[in-house]
Amino acid sequence: SRILSVTAQNDMKWRDAISGPDQDQVRAAYEKERLSLLKSILTLVPETDPNYVEKRKKSITGRWLLSVKRSGEYKCRGVKQGFKEDKATADGPDFNYSSHVTKFSTVRASTLRPNRFNRRIAIKDVSTALSFLQSRPYENGLRKYLLMRDPY
């Protein structure tokens, strides 16, 4: 358990990872996430788009996060820096940012109850959590723009 926690790395430096010994795995993780996002919820805006400058001004910045999972596999996630966005105009006054998560009392109750040695507790990793990325489609005509620097 201790070895796994030490070897798992989060928000790694791209410069080091790109030039490191696992650069092929890093590139594969990046391409997998990028293609997944482009296939599902993002549309690439080329510089030749007539409204490119306007769209770029309206964009919110994002980042590519790189980490090593406990299994040793590289994982990349593209994330929007939502704290830079004006939430009232972006999502409207009735938008709910809260999500239900497990409470600590529930974890305690399930792990400390009698006969707990006859059960197994596991964690399931979701490859692409699209339902969490955008669970409610935007209204007709609403577009948001995301500006992310390609680490390569």
Side-chain angles (χ1 to χ4, degrees):
S1 167
R2 172 143 168 63
I3 292 171
L4 289 175
S5 68
V6 170
T7 58
Q9 299 177 39
N10 291 313
D11 200 7
M12 299 169 61
K13 292 184 179 179
W14 278 97
R15 189 177 311 134
D16 297 341
I18 289 172
S19 61
D22 297 331
Q23 58 187 286
D24 293 337
Q25 294 175 31
V26 171
R27 176 73 158 206
Y30 167 72
E31 289 297 333
K32 180 180 177 184
E33 175 70 0
R34 184 179 172 276
L35 293 174
S36 173
L37 291 173
L38 286 172
K39 187 174 100 178
S40 55
I41 63 172
L42 296 181
T43 303
L44 188 63
V45 178
E47 291 184 31
T48 56
D49 185 298
N51 299 322
Y52 179 80
V53 175
E54 179 187 337
K55 291 175 181 179
R56 187 176 170 118
K57 285 180 183 175
K58 290 181 178 179
S59 66
I60 298 297
T61 56
R63 308 180 48 206
W64 297 104
L65 300 178
L66 181 64
S67 61
V68 178
K69 295 165 57 171
R70 287 186 294 262
S71 66
E73 181 183 351
Y74 283 84
K75 180 178 182 177
C76 176
R77 286 291 172 246
V79 296
K80 177 176 81 168
Q81 294 176 317
F83 64 91
K84 294 181 178 180
E85 195 170 28
D86 178 15
K87 301 206 182 352
T89 57
D91 298 320
D94 64 334
F95 189 81
N96 182 5
Y97 291 95
S98 299
S99 63
H100 182 73
V101 293
T102 305
K103 296 178 182 170
F104 192 61
S105 58
T106 306
V107 173
R108 263 194 204 148
S110 66
T111 56
L112 300 176
R113 71 181 217 201
N115 300 324
R116 64 185 176 273
F117 302 107
N118 298 337
R119 296 176 292 125
R120 181 181 310 185
I121 297 174
I123 297 173
K124 183 173 182 175
D125 187 21
V126 178
S127 176
T128 304
L130 290 179
S131 61
F132 298 106
L133 295 175
Q134 183 169 337
S135 58
R136 195 172 80 184
Y138 296 137
E139 296 173 9
N140 290 339
L142 177 62
R143 298 284 182 261
K144 292 187 178 186
Y145 301 100
L146 178 65
L147 180 64
M148 296 179 68
R149 188 179 75 75
D150 187 328
Y152 289 90

